[in-house]
Amino acid sequence: MSNPEFGSRVFDVDAIRADFPILQRKINGNDLVYLDNAATTQKPNQVIKSLVDYYEQTNANVHRGVHTLSIEATDGYELARTKVAKFINAPRPEEVIWTRNTSESLNLVAATWAEANVGEGDNIVITAMEHHSNIVPWQQLADKKGAELRYLPHNEEGLIELDSATGVIDYRTKIVAVTHMSNVLGTINPVAKLAERAHSVGAVILVDAAQSVPHMPVDVQALDADFLCFSAHKMLGPTGIGVLWGKYDLLEAMPPYMFGGDMILEVTYEDATWNDLPYKFEAGTPNIADAIATGAAVDYLTELGMDNVWQHEQELTDYAMEQILSLGSVRVLGPQNPALRGGVISFIHDTIHPHDLGTALDQQGIAIRTGHHCAMPLVRSFDVVAAARVSFYIYNTKSEVDAFVSGLCETEGYFSR
Ligand SMILES: Cc1ncc(COP(=O)(O)O)c(C=O)c1O
């Protein structure tokens, strides 16, 4: 019998690939090799079907109806919330708030919790490897409140040394907001240790899990996180829906983010009171279909087992790192040791501009990311304005890594002519 902890389905990449219709596409006459998974992942039939089924069979508004369709839509919407809660080991489903994406989840915490709790002279601590979504809301808030925005540095390898946190996180720190896994360096940050440090000075910790929840087992209780944010589109789900998880008592004490239908308990001509969690943070008609499809994505990953997902990506990353480094013509950003990183490899070629490389590889059907990866300060710290990035997911194979490396060599040949 299979162990449900490790997934109830055999991790068979060919069978997985058969679930993804887009992988049948030809791009410029070649088989698609999709290596841009940190930006967004492809969707399996199970998720696509869940969307179609919803609109064909169930579509109705939630929470307010007494008719069958509304009851079914509400049940599906709330069941998806329960699936997400279980996936991240949240103690209560009411702690899972549906948002539009990681960016909105981060903005929500900055505009509500931090608005109420950060004052003049306090500080907010983030790392120097954050995505813009976890920099700009804090810059804006610090500015507005007269607070200080501090950056936890990383070493040359792209690793945060906990000793450096001692001087940065202090008794005036109100919130530590860190990425679990860098979307540029691939670094996996010591979140549980940082949580310990934050809590020891009375601060809360927010985890940007946009690049971790899709790829590894994440347990909010084991991390002792206070808030955790991620996007469905990076984990097989649809665009336009994300999650903010928060500890119940913190969410309960926070003011609402948006006002309108569903988030109220009672409204008079003069005033209003707020609904219970999670509805206090879900004003207006929610993204019902995409929430239900996120549940289907969670089912898919749960069946595979997140330990297996992680192991598959580690093997691919290991394999790709070895091949890329052996070329001798590229500088890989972030830790060279595959055990310290996830399946994101950003690199700078000695002579080929990332955009030229991306365009040349596209001619061969290979999709990679090029640019600042929404982390301009970090990419610029390497004295470049852009880098190339490959990132892996459950359907990628070693032969796709081979195709990428030979495409890179071919492009080198072309530019050296
Ligand atoms: C680490 C990290 N944080 C936040 C985001 C923002 O996610 P979204 O665009 O879905 O809001 C991303 C997206 O790439 C990311 O990689």
Side-chain angles (χ1 to χ4, degrees):
M1 229 176 79
S2 58
N3 179 347
E5 281 230 341
F6 294 96
S8 54
R9 179 177 165 179
V10 175
F11 199 99
D12 172 348
V13 181
D14 288 337
I16 290 171
R17 290 180 69 82
D19 287 333
F20 290 78
I22 206 166
L23 297 179
Q24 303 305 314
R25 264 204 74 177
K26 300 269 181 207
I27 303 288
N28 297 317
N30 297 290
D31 289 339
L32 167 65
V33 174
Y34 187 77
L35 300 178
D36 192 16
N37 294 288
T40 200
T41 63
Q42 299 303 343
K43 321 301 173 199
N45 281 320
Q46 290 82 340
V47 168
I48 298 166
K49 184 171 179 304
S50 144
L51 285 168
V52 173
D53 282 354
Y54 172 77
Y55 283 118
E56 284 186 354
Q57 300 296 329
T58 313
N59 180 50
N61 212 330
V62 288
H63 298 145
R64 292 179 285 271
V66 291
H67 60 81
T68 300
L69 292 185
S70 177
I71 292 164
E72 285 180 9
T74 304
D75 287 350
Y77 180 72
E78 294 304 333
L79 177 62
R81 193 193 307 276
T82 306
K83 288 177 183 177
V84 167
K86 193 159 170 237
F87 193 62
I88 56 171
N89 197 28
R92 303 168 69 160
E94 309 92 285
E95 296 172 336
V96 170
I97 315 292
W98 295 114
T99 61
R100 279 190 306 136
N101 45 37
T102 306
S103 303
E104 187 173 68
S105 303
L106 292 162
N107 275 275
L108 193 160
V109 177
T112 58
W113 187 89
E115 174 70 38
N117 289 283
V118 176
E120 196 173 344
D122 290 335
N123 67 67
I124 299 154
V125 174
I126 64 176
T127 77
M129 62 174 89
E130 298 303 322
H131 186 281
H132 296 159
S133 295
N134 200 28
I135 302 177
V136 184
W138 305 117
Q139 288 175 336
Q140 295 297 309
L141 186 90
D143 222 26
K144 183 171 167 194
K145 295 286 185 171
E148 186 190 349
L149 181 58
R150 295 182 174 179
Y151 290 88
L152 272 176
H154 49 262
N155 65 17
E156 278 205 351
E157 244 204 303
L159 299 169
I160 289 176
E161 287 161 349
L162 284 165
D163 285 352
S164 70
T166 311
V168 181
I169 300 171
D170 65 14
Y171 71 101
R172 292 305 302 262
T173 304
K174 291 290 176 200
I175 184 163
V176 177
V178 292
T179 188
H180 198 177
M181 182 179 125
S182 163
N183 65 315
V184 176
L185 306 175
T187 311
I188 298 153
N189 283 321
V191 166
K193 293 252 164 50
L194 290 170
E196 224 177 283
R197 175 78 191 132
H199 292 150
S200 75
V201 295
V204 299
I205 184 157
L206 175 152
V207 182
D208 174 352
Q211 297 294 346
S212 61
V213 165
H215 303 282
M216 63 178 82
V218 171
D219 178 333
V220 292
Q221 298 186 62
L223 293 175
D224 201 10
D226 294 298
F227 298 107
L228 185 123
C229 311
F230 55 99
S231 300
H233 71 94
K234 293 184 194 288
M235 49 184 286
L236 310 178
T239 51
I241 186 143
V243 169
L244 166 66
W245 169 83
K247 280 183 180 158
Y248 190 90
D249 292 347
L250 288 173
L251 293 172
E252 182 74 348
M254 277 154 58
Y257 181 48
M258 282 173 59
F259 302 93
D262 246 22
M263 57 74 62
I264 50 80
L265 197 61
E266 210 173 296
V267 181
T268 62
Y269 280 118
E270 291 75 32
D271 208 354
T273 55
W274 315 137
N275 205 343
D276 294 333
L277 292 174
Y279 312 114
K280 181 172 79 173
F281 293 108
E282 294 182 1
T285 299
N287 191 346
I288 306 160
D290 291 330
I292 293 171
T294 300
V298 166
D299 285 344
Y300 193 98
L301 290 169
T302 303
E303 272 183 31
L304 286 180
M306 289 310 290
D307 286 290
N308 297 328
V309 168
W310 179 238
Q311 190 187 330
H312 174 72
E313 288 182 31
Q314 286 287 93
E315 280 170 20
L316 279 181
T317 308
D318 223 341
Y319 183 71
M321 283 288 273
E322 204 180 305
Q323 302 234 18
I324 294 170
L325 289 171
S326 72
L327 291 175
S329 51
V330 299
R331 174 160 64 123
V332 170
L333 309 183
Q336 309 263 309
N337 179 351
L340 303 175
R341 56 151 63 239
V344 162
I345 305 175
S346 298
F347 60 93
I348 297 159
H349 193 276
D350 287 348
T351 53
I352 309 171
H353 191 280
H355 293 318
D356 290 336
L357 180 61
T359 307
L361 289 174
D362 181 56
Q363 289 306 306
Q364 302 166 52
I366 303 166
I368 69 161
R369 198 78 173 169
T370 62
H372 53 59
H373 311 294
C374 294
M376 262 190 214
L378 174 65
V379 170
R380 283 185 180 156
S381 73
F382 294 98
D383 292 328
V384 291
V385 290
R389 180 182 76 187
V390 291
S391 50
F392 307 115
Y393 211 28
I394 51 173
Y395 34 71
N396 289 126
T397 62
K398 285 186 179 164
S399 58
E400 288 185 314
V401 173
D402 293 341
F404 158 69
V405 173
S406 78
L408 180 52
C409 292
E410 211 172 291
T411 311
E412 278 179 348
Y414 175 81
F415 277 95
S416 65
R417 261 183 237 150

